[in-house]
Amino acid sequence: MRSIYYAYLRMPMLVRLAIILFSILVSSAVLAHLLEKETFPTIFEGFYWAVITAGTVGYGDFTPESTQVRILAIFLVFIGASFFAFLTVHLASSVVKRENRFFEGKSMYKNKDHFIIVGWNERARHTIQALKDKLKSNHIVLIDESLKENPLYVEGIHFIHAKPSEDQTWKMAHVQQAHTILITADANLKEYEADINTILSILTARGLNSTVSIHAEVLTTEQTTNAKRAGADHIIHTSNLASKAMVSNLVKEIL
């Protein structure tokens, strides 16, 4: 008996309430049958009446005549109304909690063949928008530790608020089934520190998925080799691209 009791306590709250409600309905059906056998000739008809009464439907095809069963009916109405009110509030609360977890970056991504973008900055914003326009899809996961809420919540982009150098973060992003990863440099750190963080992120992601394509932004040329050793397939030198663009504009002005 004790094991059954502990098993009952481990059940979800709604399941336990459903068991209690079912027990009350069965007990009410038996009582109604015993107290008014002419009105409720079988327990099944008593159970049907109890369910209809608790559900506050009241078809009227079974109407109790004795005071005892009428008091029982009042009890069932209060019990049924309370249960359904609690059920409605509980379901609404569950939906709100799930949306809050999505908004705060605490929920796990469950799709596959998606793109994972690490780091939030203007480059990441434009990259995500370009991917959305080209792919016509929202199968994109943004990982960032500094953000407190999803910056692209309205667009439906999945956000994970966690460190990209931890296994659990990549598991939440479902890296095992990811298509491509882009790791951007942290603009809040010095170049060397940003590259070290990028390399750690590459190592963590590669350790969980040996085949996924990893693109990494490296700020210092000295860390290019280390990034490749860590498992990056493509290295992006943003500083070189910016320098070439500036030189090109200067040359145009001179000529």
Side-chain angles (χ1 to χ4, degrees):
M1 290 296 293
R2 181 174 295 181
S3 60
I4 296 175
Y5 175 72
Y6 286 135
Y8 170 78
L9 291 179
R10 286 194 293 268
M11 292 179 180
M13 184 187 303
L14 284 180
V15 175
R16 285 183 284 163
L17 286 175
I19 292 174
I20 293 173
L21 180 62
F22 182 77
S23 302
I24 291 173
L25 292 175
V26 171
S27 301
S28 299
V30 173
L31 280 174
H33 170 67
L34 293 177
L35 293 172
E36 288 191 35
K37 290 188 177 180
E38 292 183 0
T39 307
F40 308 103
T42 65
I43 293 177
F44 175 76
E45 289 172 326
F47 182 76
Y48 166 78
W49 166 80
V51 170
I52 296 301
T53 304
T56 65
V57 177
Y59 288 133
D61 45 355
F62 289 94
T63 305
E65 298 179 359
S66 65
T67 303
Q68 296 92 328
V69 181
R70 288 180 178 178
I71 293 174
L72 179 61
I74 295 172
F75 171 75
L76 286 174
V77 168
F78 279 110
I79 290 295
S82 300
F83 176 79
F84 287 115
F86 175 83
L87 179 62
T88 302
V89 172
H90 181 79
L91 291 177
S93 176
S94 298
V95 172
V96 171
K97 286 181 180 179
R98 187 177 67 176
E99 286 301 309
N100 284 340
R101 288 181 62 83
F102 179 78
F103 184 70
E104 295 171 0
K106 297 178 181 178
S107 59
M108 183 174 291
Y109 189 78
K110 297 180 180 179
N111 292 326
K112 61 181 181 179
D113 294 329
H114 51 291
F115 289 78
I116 301 177
I117 311 295
V118 177
W120 177 247
N121 46 52
E122 282 303 308
R123 298 187 304 281
R125 182 194 293 275
H126 291 305
T127 300
I128 291 174
Q129 189 58 52
L131 283 173
K132 282 185 60 182
D133 295 340
K134 185 175 181 179
L135 301 175
K136 306 299 180 183
S137 171
N138 284 343
H139 292 310
I140 302 171
V141 177
L142 171 65
I143 298 176
D144 190 90
E145 182 186 5
S146 61
L147 295 173
K148 300 301 181 183
E149 57 190 37
N150 190 343
L152 300 173
Y153 175 78
V154 177
E155 288 83 350
I157 300 300
H158 194 96
F159 168 58
I160 295 177
H161 174 243
K163 294 181 179 179
S165 58
E166 296 180 355
D167 284 3
Q168 185 58 30
T169 302
W170 291 98
K171 290 177 180 177
M172 288 181 65
H174 206 193
V175 69
Q176 297 88 338
Q177 299 294 328
H179 182 279
T180 304
I181 296 172
L182 170 63
I183 302 176
T184 65
D186 191 340
N188 297 317
L189 299 176
K190 295 181 180 178
E191 291 184 346
Y192 177 78
E193 294 175 349
D195 285 347
I196 294 301
N197 279 1
T198 298
I199 291 171
L200 287 175
S201 300
I202 296 170
L203 282 169
T204 309
R206 181 60 73 201
L208 295 171
N209 188 331
S210 59
T211 59
V212 66
S213 178
I214 299 180
H215 300 248
E217 179 185 13
V218 177
L219 301 179
T220 60
T221 55
E222 293 81 3
Q223 296 301 324
T224 300
T225 302
N226 289 332
K228 290 182 177 179
R229 286 173 180 167
D233 300 294
H234 305 278
I235 304 298
I236 302 171
H237 291 288
T238 309
S239 56
N240 291 349
L241 295 174
S243 298
K244 290 179 181 178
M246 286 188 287
V247 170
S248 177
N249 286 333
L250 288 172
V251 171
K252 287 180 181 179
E253 287 291 331
I254 295 173
L255 297 177

